[in-house]
Amino acid sequence: MSPKVLIRLSLIVNYMVFAVLLNSVGAVILQVQRTFDVSKAEASVLEGFKDLPIAIFSFIVASLLPKVGLKKGMLGALFLVAAICFMMPLMADEFWYFKLLFAAVGISFAVIKVSVFAMIGLVTENTKEHSSLMSTIEGFFMVGVLVGNVFFSLFVNDADPTSRYWLNIYWYLGAMTLAAALLLFWAKINESESKRENTKAWDEFLDMLKLVIKPLVLVFAASAFLFVLIEQSFMTWTPTFYQDVLKVPASMGIQAGAVLAGVLAIGRLLAGVILKKIHWLTFTLSCTFLVGVCVILTLPLTANLPEAIEAITWFNAPFVVYLFPILGLFLAPIYPTINSVVLSALPRYMQSSMSGLIVVFSALGGTTGSIITGHIFEAYGGTNAFYFSLIPIVALCLILILLNRQVKKNVPS
């Protein structure tokens, strides 16, 4: 295996590991309600414990990582998460343990995502290759979400909501994290182009802050924030939506999250091919519009559903159970595309700093979306909570048009 192929494989595997850990939050939110009798509003803060550390530490690590070393930072993050995972089956007997878990995962993902995004620029030669690899990595991220949700569902006891058997999954997640660290250790990565000589970490941190005032970055910040707000509203609350609104068992609700993730993975992998032929703005606007269409067409089907039956399965579920995940196909390509567009518009030495800002904006959007959805869900029901997504969907369409104008000003035609 060539060094460049091994690096790409390592980036994909590391991203997939954190896909499982980060997006288990939807399954965990459902399970802590069942096992620890936590309310929906209280459970929704787990998204904040995951995303706010991502936002805070991304600001810190984006300027420090090129100095410390991208690979060293990633290995440290993997070992931290592995240790926390191995502790969970032994110690997690109260809700605050899950806050600690997701805080650790969030801090570590800040390091992983900034490093991965910066490394993409080191192993690609042009904008199209950058967009293609970005979409592929983000596609495998969704594969990780799919695998994680299916894996979680296997540990859920539908008959006994108070069962803590599902915590045993963290033995496997810890082992998986260590395996990813081993693969990364073998990869030989030349990080020289990600560094600037004769600059201090403080100066690079200030340069990252200066990026925020650029019109291109401000518009991108709005687009990333809105997109992740929309995406995490669906991803985090799909298991609870399926159980409470569509009346399916808890394990099936978690599997529904896996189905949505699988559709997202297909959408992102297809985007890597489609974007070679279609302008990114036309593509993302079309996708955003179709997400709104899916919401409008599917949510009315949730009205007047029959009460759950004991033996409900994927073979006898209401039609809307199968129809709802289709929106993921159109939602999927938007995020990696706008990330690639803004990174490609900047020099390579600035891509680590911009990656940090991407993680910050994404984390804030994810936290906001999950908490808003959780409160609307509890107060007005799951259907109205998902109808709320139409507001940021419309706003995102407008912001994408502004982003295209700023990209044209920064990249020569």
Side-chain angles (χ1 to χ4, degrees), residues 11 70-71 74 114-123 189 191:
L11 297 182
L70 302 176
K71 180 178 175 179
M74 292 174 72
V114 170
S115 300
V116 168
F117 277 25
M119 285 183 184
I120 290 174
L122 300 178
V123 297
I189 304 169
E191 302 180 21

Side-chain angles (χ1 to χ4, degrees), residues 37-206:
D37 197 26
V38 174
S39 70
K40 290 182 176 63
E42 188 180 0
S44 71
V45 303
L46 288 180
E47 190 79 47
F49 273 88
K50 170 174 69 75
D51 286 341
L52 291 180
I54 294 175
I56 294 168
F57 277 83
S58 293
F59 260 120
I60 299 171
V61 303
S63 54
L64 291 177
L65 272 175
K67 299 293 184 184
V68 174
L70 302 176
K71 180 178 175 179
K72 288 180 180 178
M74 292 174 72
L75 287 172
L78 289 165
F79 288 132
L80 171 63
V81 169
I84 295 291
C85 284
F86 288 135
M87 290 167 56
M88 290 299 290
L90 303 174
M91 301 178 62
D93 56 0
E94 293 183 22
F95 183 48
W96 72 266
Y97 282 95
F98 298 93
K99 297 177 182 178
L100 175 65
L101 167 70
F102 283 110
V105 170
I107 292 168
S108 300
F109 184 63
V111 176
I112 295 294
K113 188 166 184 176
V114 170
S115 300
V116 168
F117 277 25
M119 285 183 184
I120 290 174
L122 300 178
V123 297
T124 56
E125 301 299 330
N126 53 58
T127 301
K128 287 188 176 180
E129 192 177 342
H130 193 289
S131 296
S132 180
L133 181 57
M134 177 75 79
S135 291
T136 300
I137 289 176
E138 290 285 359
F140 276 101
F141 184 89
M142 300 316 303
V143 172
V145 178
L146 184 157
V147 172
N149 276 284
V150 171
F151 200 33
F152 253 91
S153 72
L154 300 178
F155 287 79
V156 172
N157 187 334
D158 290 320
D160 181 12
T162 62
S163 172
R164 300 185 183 185
Y165 175 75
W166 62 280
L167 294 173
N168 288 315
I169 192 174
Y170 287 102
W171 294 116
Y172 298 93
L173 295 181
M176 178 183 66
T177 307
L178 288 180
L182 183 61
L183 180 62
L184 177 64
F185 180 78
W186 283 334
K188 304 298 181 183
I189 304 169
N190 181 2
E191 302 180 21
S192 59
E193 287 190 82
S194 68
K195 302 176 181 179
R196 282 191 291 175
E197 299 298 329
N198 303 319
T199 58
K200 298 179 180 178
W202 175 251
D203 293 329
E204 296 201 6
F205 179 75
L206 292 178

Side-chain angles (χ1 to χ4, degrees), residues 145-298:
V145 178
L146 184 157
V147 172
N149 276 284
V150 171
F151 200 33
F152 253 91
S153 72
L154 300 178
F155 287 79
V156 172
N157 187 334
D158 290 320
D160 181 12
T162 62
S163 172
R164 300 185 183 185
Y165 175 75
W166 62 280
L167 294 173
N168 288 315
I169 192 174
Y170 287 102
W171 294 116
Y172 298 93
L173 295 181
M176 178 183 66
T177 307
L178 288 180
L182 183 61
L183 180 62
L184 177 64
F185 180 78
W186 283 334
K188 304 298 181 183
I189 304 169
N190 181 2
E191 302 180 21
S192 59
E193 287 190 82
S194 68
K195 302 176 181 179
R196 282 191 291 175
E197 299 298 329
N198 303 319
T199 58
K200 298 179 180 178
W202 175 251
D203 293 329
E204 296 201 6
F205 179 75
L206 292 178
D207 288 342
M208 182 176 68
L209 293 181
K210 291 175 184 177
L211 270 176
V212 178
I213 63 175
K214 288 179 173 288
L216 169 66
V217 177
L218 286 172
V219 175
F220 168 79
S223 63
F225 177 89
L226 287 170
F227 172 80
V228 180
L229 186 152
I230 297 163
E231 182 187 52
Q232 288 304 310
S233 296
F234 291 127
M235 291 295 298
T236 301
W237 288 97
T238 287
T240 303
F241 177 81
Y242 266 66
Q243 186 187 33
D244 284 12
V245 178
L246 303 185
K247 314 298 184 183
V248 304
S251 60
M252 190 172 164
I254 295 173
Q255 290 164 9
V259 174
L260 180 58
V263 176
L264 282 159
I266 293 170
R268 287 184 176 172
L269 294 172
L270 288 175
V273 177
I274 297 172
L275 281 166
K276 294 178 180 179
K277 301 179 180 180
I278 299 177
H279 190 268
W280 73 267
L281 178 63
T282 303
F283 186 54
T284 53
L285 278 178
S286 300
C287 289
T288 307
F289 173 77
L290 289 170
V291 171
V293 170
C294 288
V295 170
I296 293 170
L297 293 180
T298 57

